[in-house]
Amino acid sequence: MDLSRRDTALRELMDDPDCDPVALAATLRRFDTVNRVVSAWGTVWRRHLRPALERLDRPARVLDIGSGGGDVTARLARLAERDGVRVEWVGIDPDPRALEVARERARPGLQFRSTDSAALRATGERFDAVVSNHVLHHLGDAELRSFLADSRALSSGLVLHADIERGRIAYALYAAGILPLQRGTFLRTDGLRSIRRSYRATELRQTLASQGEWHVLRPAPFRVLAVGRERD
C-alpha cells in the first residue's frame, strides 16, 4: 500500500447516492463508537473549544459543518452540558440521508439542518465557533478554498477542522481494529479510503499556507487539527 501521497481518486462508498441505504444508516449510527475512539474531540473540547466559549461569558452558538449522522455534534453538546457551558449547537449537512439519522439525536439546544456552508453563509448567519470532523480529506483544491472561506465567514471566533492524519501505522491499526464493528456497514472500506485520501500535517500546513491565518496541530496520534485564529 503506497501511502506516500494522497490518493484523491478514491471515492468512499457512502458518498454514492445509490449506495445501500440500510448499510449507510448503520454506518452513520456506528460512527458514534468509532469517533469516540479515534476523533480526539474530548481533547479538542478541553484545550481549544471550551476555553474559547467560556471567555464569552454568555450563551454561545456553535456550527458543525458536514455533521453527517450528528454524533460529533451530539457528543460536544453533552460535554458542554457536563461542564456547565451554555451552547446552542447547529449541525448542517446537505445529504438528506445523513440528516435523517442526525435528527434522531436532536433535542432542545441541538438541531440539524439540511444545507451547506455556502448557502448558510449567504443568509448572513454567524456563530461563535465553527467546527468540522472528517470533511477536509473529501475536498478538492477549489472546494477546500471555498470551505475554508465559508467557515471563517460564518464564525466570529474560533474555527476548528479536525481530520485523520495519513500514515502506515494508522492504516494498519484501523484495518484491524474496525473488524468487530464493520459488519453491515461501510466502516472498514470507507475508513481505509479516508486514510488514503487524508493529509499529513506537513502537507496540510503547506496547503493552508495560502489560505490565511491557519495553524495545524496534532491533538492526538493520527489526527490533524486546522485552527483558524480567533478574531480580535
Side-chain angles (χ1 to χ4, degrees):
M1 178 60 60
D2 182 11
L3 294 172
S4 63
R5 64 186 66 188
R6 296 182 66 212
D7 191 343
T8 56
L10 286 173
R11 187 182 187 190
E12 295 180 24
L13 299 177
M14 63 188 300
D15 291 335
D16 182 349
D18 297 320
C19 72
D20 180 351
V22 174
L24 175 62
T27 302
L28 291 167
R29 292 188 180 100
R30 216 163 291 174
F31 271 140
D32 192 5
T33 301
V34 176
N35 281 323
R36 282 178 178 274
V37 175
V38 306
S39 70
W41 274 104
T43 299
V44 174
W45 166 255
R46 292 191 303 273
R47 293 182 181 174
H48 303 281
L49 189 52
R50 183 180 68 187
L53 301 181
E54 287 177 332
R55 285 195 294 270
L56 296 174
D57 197 29
R58 59 168 172 78
R61 299 181 74 229
V62 178
L63 174 69
D64 182 0
I65 303 177
S67 53
D71 64 285
V72 169
T73 330
R75 183 182 178 202
L76 289 171
R78 290 191 296 271
L79 291 172
E81 184 175 7
R82 180 201 67 187
D83 293 346
V85 183
R86 295 173 295 167
V87 186
E88 176 191 350
W89 299 90
V90 178
I92 62 170
D93 200 296
D95 190 334
R97 304 170 302 172
L99 262 294
E100 184 176 351
V101 174
R103 284 173 173 156
E104 297 171 1
R105 309 179 192 273
R107 56 183 176 81
L110 172 60
Q111 62 172 292
F112 296 95
R113 303 182 192 174
S114 180
T115 188
D116 60 24
S117 60
L120 188 59
R121 178 183 179 182
T123 70
E125 195 163 356
R126 299 290 295 280
F127 297 82
D128 296 300
V130 169
V131 304
S132 77
N133 186 64
H134 295 175
V135 173
L136 298 183
H137 71 264
H138 286 275
L139 306 176
D141 291 343
E143 293 171 319
L144 178 62
R145 288 192 296 271
S146 297
F147 178 77
L148 295 174
D150 289 344
S151 62
R152 292 302 298 268
L154 284 161
S155 177
S156 60
L158 193 63
V159 181
L160 300 168
H161 296 311
D163 212 333
I164 310 155
E165 182 172 27
R166 188 179 78 256
R168 290 188 177 277
I169 296 176
Y171 191 92
L173 288 175
Y174 186 85
I178 200 62
L179 291 174
L181 295 174
Q182 71 167 338
R183 185 177 178 86
T185 74
F186 303 136
L187 284 173
R188 191 171 191 275
T189 297
D190 279 5
L192 294 176
R193 290 183 181 185
S194 292
I195 293 170
R196 291 169 63 186
R197 285 188 59 99
S198 65
Y199 293 90
R200 290 178 174 165
T202 52
E203 296 168 344
L204 188 56
R205 289 189 186 102
Q206 293 169 356
T207 299
L208 299 185
S210 62
Q211 304 302 316
E213 297 186 38
W214 292 90
H215 301 285
V216 176
L217 309 175
R218 286 187 173 105
F222 322 123
R223 299 293 297 175
V224 289
L225 181 70
V227 182
R229 186 180 65 85
E230 293 181 76
R231 290 168 173 77
D232 297 329

